[in-house]
């Protein structure tokens, strides 16, 4: 790849300059996406990276999420993950791109043969935090294929467009840890970030710029409930707890 172009997880959860402000060049469409997802190159004077651009105008309408909000939920998921320090959600920003406003997320070079079901045993500690994150954001679509193994052996999680609903919608393949106590250090991170979700605090302001007020309120309430219960829950009765397809 030319210059300083990056397409892996080396940048951690910091936002590359090219992703935040660089010019956006569309390279092509990513296949098998229910919404428009475009591979792009972001170019700044001293920084270049590959990214996935999801324009608002390419979002398919959903009956249970407000129209034109999925790209903002992608960014909100990154903001919460960055505040927590986990899981690895690729840096994601709100940009006005070639097809209008949308989310722009750092592209992660990954092994397409790997997914949650091939990785869950070796990376159980990472997936405990993914499961805890999904509880906090109310992830309605944690498929196994949304868990990526990068070139450095790190796990990244993607596709958070159907998170942060007010009504319970958790659908995930990660039910491995039912009734286990939550990791103490992760609870500490949740407690710290919960304080920052109070009105006027940093994380509340970041999410409030992306989500409806009642969705931010519901995020606070979910985190309070998760901390109070102290264990990974089992699926709620009478609901469909798994996404389809599972990978």
């Amino acid at each position: 790849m030319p210059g300083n172009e990056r397409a892996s997880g080396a940048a951690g959860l910091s936002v590359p300059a090219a992703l935040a402000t660089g010019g956006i060049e569309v390279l092509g469409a990513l296949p098998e996406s229910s919404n428009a997802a475009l591979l792009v190159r972001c170019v700044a004077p001293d920084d270049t990276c590959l990214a996935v651009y999801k324009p608002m105008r390419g979002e398919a309408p959903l009956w249970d999420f407000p129209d034109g909000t999925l790209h903002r939920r992608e960014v909100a998921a990154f903001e919460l993950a960055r505040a927590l320090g986990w899981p690895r959600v690729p840096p994601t920003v709100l940009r006005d791109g070639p097809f209008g406003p949308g989310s722009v997320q750092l592209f992660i070079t990954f092994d397409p043969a790997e997914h949650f079901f091939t990785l869950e045993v070796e990376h159980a500690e990472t997936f405990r935090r993914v499961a805890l994150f999904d509880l906090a954001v109310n992830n309605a679509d944690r498929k196994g294929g949304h868990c990526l193994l990068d070139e450095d052996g790190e796990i990244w999680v993607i596709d958070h467009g159907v998170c942060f609903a007010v009504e319970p919608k958790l659908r995930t393949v990660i039910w491995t840890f039912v009734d286990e106590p939550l990791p103490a250090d992760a609870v500490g991170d949740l407690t710290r970030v919960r304080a920052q979700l109070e009105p006027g605090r940093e994380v509340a302001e970041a999410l409030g710029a992306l989500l409806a007020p009642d969705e931010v309120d519901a995020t606070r309430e979910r985190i309070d409930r998760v901390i109070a219960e102290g264990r990974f829950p089992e699926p709620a009765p009478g609901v469909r707890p798994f996404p389809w397809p599972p990978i």
Side-chain angles (χ1 to χ4, degrees):
M1 290 184 182
N4 295 322
E5 188 163 84
R6 285 170 287 120
S8 75
L13 296 182
S14 62
V15 178
L19 192 77
T21 61
I24 299 175
E25 173 192 357
V26 176
L27 301 178
L30 296 175
E32 300 181 7
S33 177
S34 56
N35 298 290
L38 305 174
L39 181 66
V40 300
R41 179 180 288 114
C42 299
V43 182
D46 298 311
D47 189 35
T48 303
C49 65
L50 295 178
V52 177
Y53 166 46
K54 295 183 178 181
M56 177 179 68
R57 65 191 288 185
E59 295 176 6
L62 298 174
W63 69 267
D64 53 350
F65 283 85
D67 290 350
T69 67
L70 305 190
H71 65 294
R72 303 178 76 87
R73 298 172 194 278
E74 295 268 12
V75 181
F78 168 68
E79 291 292 346
L80 189 60
R82 177 162 63 167
L84 287 165
W86 49 264
R88 285 178 174 263
V89 175
T92 313
V93 296
L94 198 62
R95 293 283 308 272
D96 192 10
F99 298 104
S103 62
V104 183
Q105 182 174 88
L106 186 69
F107 180 81
I108 302 299
T109 300
F110 66 99
D111 184 344
E114 301 284 3
H115 47 73
F116 169 71
F117 298 105
T118 65
L119 298 165
E120 61 175 314
V121 173
E122 185 177 353
H123 297 272
E125 284 304 309
T126 295
F127 285 121
R128 283 184 176 89
R129 282 157 181 76
V130 174
L132 189 50
F133 179 75
D134 287 341
L135 288 170
V137 302
N138 195 19
N139 192 346
D141 193 35
R142 173 63 73 211
K143 293 182 172 70
H146 296 168
C147 306
L148 311 181
L149 181 70
D150 77 4
E151 296 174 314
D152 300 319
E154 299 284 357
I155 303 295
W156 295 80
V157 288
I158 60 169
D159 283 354
H160 297 100
V162 287
C163 293
F164 295 105
V166 173
E167 302 83 5
K169 293 184 181 293
L170 182 64
R171 289 190 289 271
T172 176
V173 296
I174 309 177
W175 292 105
T176 312
F177 312 112
V178 166
D179 205 37
E180 280 190 15
L182 304 178
D185 57 341
V187 173
D189 291 331
L190 274 177
T191 302
R192 170 180 52 80
V193 169
R194 171 59 181 86
Q196 296 172 12
L197 275 166
E198 287 297 324
R201 299 290 301 275
E202 180 180 358
V203 180
E205 292 292 305
L207 295 191
L210 298 162
L211 305 172
D214 60 344
E215 292 171 338
V216 179
D217 292 342
T219 302
R220 280 193 288 265
E221 292 166 6
R222 284 192 300 271
I223 292 176
D224 285 341
R225 186 164 56 252
V226 166
I227 293 172
E229 292 175 355
R231 309 185 82 82
F232 287 101
E234 61 182 340
V239 302
R240 178 168 64 89
F242 301 102
W244 187 260
I247 296 178

